Amino acid sequence: MNVEFINPFLSSLVNVLSTMANTTIVPGQPRIKKDEVARGDVSGLIGMVSPQTKGSFSITFEESLAVEIMFRMLGERPKGITADVTDMVGEITNMVTGGAKRILGEKGYDFTMATPVVVSGKNHTISHKSEGAKILMPFDSDFGKVHIEVSFDK
Amino acid sequence: MNVEFINPFLSSLVNVLSTMANTTIVPGQPRIKKDEVARGDVSGLIGMVSPQTKGSFSITFEESLAVEIMFRMLGERPKGITADVTDMVGEITNMVTGGAKRILGEKGYDFTMATPVVVSGKNHTISHKSEGAKILMPFDSDFGKVHIEVSFDK
């Protein structure tokens, strides 16, 4: 997988959570994901297609952080992973990939995104089935962790 | 959502499980999905993009049926939802959408698929976040149930 693809998602997520939810997150060290366990309770997934490659992006929030972001964006504190929270995670998935798409477009990669799907459940697993490595990027915040995963065929 | 999009996925799934795993499934009545609960233990998800619309497809197997299909395709009976089973579910996701893509192409819809993502976990939820209705199609077999869901913006 092209390592140029990693930073656009990282910087887009930092930017989206800062501007939309006034939430600061601190990136940890990206690494290759070898297992299938999702690092949290609710995940947004989206497929991405370009003439050069295709792949998938996912973002997984711990429940505590998802609830806090919901509170900061909408002023209401949901009781757990409600349908409103999965809607919000779907929107964040769209915004992060939209930001990454703009940056990747400047590098000559013209991606089209499918629509997001949001998955939740304690101890759910996620396996990206593209041909490339699965890159896992951890982020920490005062309210819990968020992880993103990207995997592309080339 | 265009109802023309439903039957290609239905017939492609029946065909894939019959030819690849010698497994007969009986379609039930398609309906609109209002809740988020996945109907099984392991799900393959894939994004689809065309010039006219975009959306997502998912297929959810009960563990008993996923294990039986694995046995019939590869001659080994896995102990639960192993990495081999998620690989197989990813492959079936590709094959079913590939078959549907061919049928939809004949109707003038030229879809490109992203790469699949496979999710597992007891009581996991799936929410397709496209603008259209979420169509749920149930299928029964001697070894358990499989459900597919499709949702497109138009």
Side-chain angles (χ1 to χ4, degrees):
Chain A
M1 198 191 104
N2 190 333
V3 293
E4 270 193 303
F5 289 176
I6 298 175
N7 271 329
F9 292 95
L10 188 155
S11 61
S12 180
L13 174 63
V14 169
N15 182 42
V16 164
L17 291 190
S18 168
T19 55
M20 302 298 296
N22 195 25
T23 300
T24 302
I25 56 172
V26 179
Q29 191 64 37
R31 56 182 183 273
I32 293 178
K33 190 188 184 198
K34 304 273 194 190
D35 64 273
E36 303 196 328
V37 180
R39 266 64 175 183
D41 306 301
V42 57
S43 298
L45 316 169
I46 196 164
M48 299 181 69
V49 174
S50 82
Q52 298 102 328
T53 187
K54 55 193 166 64
S56 49
F57 164 85
S58 68
I59 179 164
T60 300
F61 292 93
E62 289 183 347
E63 181 175 317
S64 55
L65 178 56
V67 163
E68 179 67 25
I69 292 170
M70 187 82 189
F71 174 64
R72 291 180 175 213
M73 286 176 75
L74 299 183
E76 287 180 26
R77 197 174 290 279
K79 295 189 198 318
I81 309 292
T82 61
D84 286 342
V85 173
T86 70
D87 278 350
M88 178 199 74
V89 171
E91 276 309 306
I92 290 176
T93 307
N94 271 329
M95 286 187 280
V96 173
T97 48
K101 171 190 161 77
R102 277 192 297 278
I103 302 167
L104 289 165
E106 291 163 9
K107 297 175 186 285
Y109 297 98
D110 183 22
F111 277 99
T112 305
M113 272 90 72
T115 51
V117 180
V118 178
V119 171
S120 72
K122 290 286 173 194
N123 303 313
H124 67 279
T125 72
I126 295 178
S127 323
H128 296 263
K129 299 296 183 189
S130 78
E131 291 163 17
K134 292 102 186 92
I135 308 296
L136 176 71
M137 283 172 264
F139 301 82
D140 213 344
S141 81
D142 291 345
F143 304 97
K145 291 187 197 304
V146 53
H147 287 77
I148 60 179
E149 298 175 24
V150 291
S151 184
F152 288 94
D153 277 351
K154 286 175 194 163
Chain B
M1 199 192 105
N2 189 333
V3 293
E4 270 194 304
F5 289 176
I6 299 174
N7 270 327
F9 291 95
L10 188 155
S11 61
S12 181
L13 173 63
V14 170
N15 182 42
V16 164
L17 291 189
S18 167
T19 55
M20 301 299 294
N22 195 25
T23 299
T24 302
I25 56 172
V26 179
Q29 191 64 35
R31 57 183 182 270
I32 293 178
K33 190 187 184 197
K34 303 273 192 190
D35 64 273
E36 302 196 328
V37 180
R39 267 63 177 183
D41 307 300
V42 57
S43 297
L45 316 169
I46 196 164
M48 300 181 68
V49 175
S50 82
Q52 299 102 328
T53 186
K54 54 195 167 64
S56 50
F57 165 84
S58 67
I59 180 165
T60 300
F61 292 92
E62 289 183 347
E63 181 176 316
S64 56
L65 179 56
V67 163
E68 179 67 25
I69 291 170
M70 188 81 189
F71 174 66
R72 290 180 177 213
M73 285 176 76
L74 298 182
E76 286 180 26
R77 196 174 292 276
K79 293 189 199 320
I81 309 292
T82 61
D84 285 343
V85 172
T86 71
D87 277 351
M88 178 199 75
V89 170
E91 276 308 306
I92 290 175
T93 306
N94 271 329
M95 286 187 280
V96 173
T97 48
K101 172 190 161 76
R102 276 192 298 279
I103 302 168
L104 289 164
E106 291 164 10
K107 296 174 187 285
Y109 297 98
D110 184 22
F111 278 98
T112 305
M113 272 90 74
T115 52
V117 180
V118 178
V119 171
S120 72
K122 289 287 173 195
N123 304 313
H124 67 281
T125 71
I126 295 178
S127 323
H128 296 263
K129 298 295 184 189
S130 78
E131 290 163 18
K134 293 102 185 90
I135 307 296
L136 176 70
M137 284 172 264
F139 300 82
D140 213 343
S141 79
D142 291 346
F143 304 97
K145 292 188 197 303
V146 54
H147 286 78
I148 60 180
E149 299 175 24
V150 291
S151 184
F152 287 94
D153 277 351
K154 287 174 194 163

